[in-house]
Amino acid sequence: MGLLDGMMGNASKIDADKIQQEFSQILAAGEQVEHAYQLIRDYFVFTNKRLVLVDKQGVTGSKVEYHSFPYKSITHFSIETGGHFDLDAELKIWISGTAVPVQKRFNKKLSIYEVQSVLAGYVLR
């Protein structure tokens, strides 16, 4: 992914092996990164056991928050595509026990359908 793509809000696929190494401290024994996407500074990481949303914070991005969601706790999800005037697309994920969904906004150039398809593949197993 180029820096300009990231700044424009385009998500791009990241090499799973690179993320496997980067996440070695937070992965459980036997857990494998299978898909990963970067959106500006944040990541969507799909492992064989859970979805990890990585939220890099601050000016330097050195403060990082990891949100882990076992696939079985995802009750439903939705995508909202951008229109002619609202160019952003949005992914919402509802987690059992929470009333408010996790929301991520994507630039219209992103194929939000790919991320949704990967998510569906894990949740609907």
Side-chain angles (χ1 to χ4, degrees):
M1 174 187 100
L3 179 59
L4 184 59
D5 284 339
M7 292 172 63
M8 295 300 292
N10 296 332
S12 62
K13 194 160 180 119
I14 306 170
D15 180 41
D17 292 333
K18 175 186 168 205
I19 298 300
Q20 182 78 30
Q21 291 174 354
E22 186 177 322
F23 280 37
S24 63
Q25 294 181 348
I26 66 164
L27 295 176
E31 188 173 14
Q32 295 292 316
V33 173
E34 296 181 344
H35 300 277
Y37 298 89
Q38 183 171 11
L39 179 63
I40 306 177
R41 296 189 306 176
D42 297 343
Y43 295 166
F44 291 84
V45 178
F46 295 90
T47 75
N48 57 329
K49 299 182 183 284
R50 61 185 162 154
L51 169 62
V52 181
L53 297 181
V54 181
D55 182 13
K56 293 193 175 187
Q57 303 170 5
V59 175
T60 62
S62 59
K63 183 177 178 181
V64 181
E65 186 172 12
Y66 300 91
H67 299 270
S68 291
F69 305 108
Y71 297 119
K72 67 181 179 182
S73 69
I74 297 173
T75 58
H76 76 278
F77 53 93
S78 70
I79 60 172
E80 181 179 308
T81 60
H84 293 293
F85 298 108
D86 178 15
L87 300 180
D88 292 333
E90 190 170 70
L91 172 66
K92 295 179 186 176
I93 304 170
W94 282 264
I95 308 300
S96 62
T98 61
V100 178
V102 174
Q103 297 178 315
K104 291 292 181 178
R105 190 172 296 272
F106 296 88
N107 183 285
K108 187 173 174 90
K109 294 180 182 178
L110 163 69
S111 174
I112 194 168
Y113 299 106
E114 181 178 349
V115 176
Q116 182 272 335
S117 178
V118 170
L119 179 60
Y122 288 106
V123 172
L124 300 175
R125 285 185 181 179

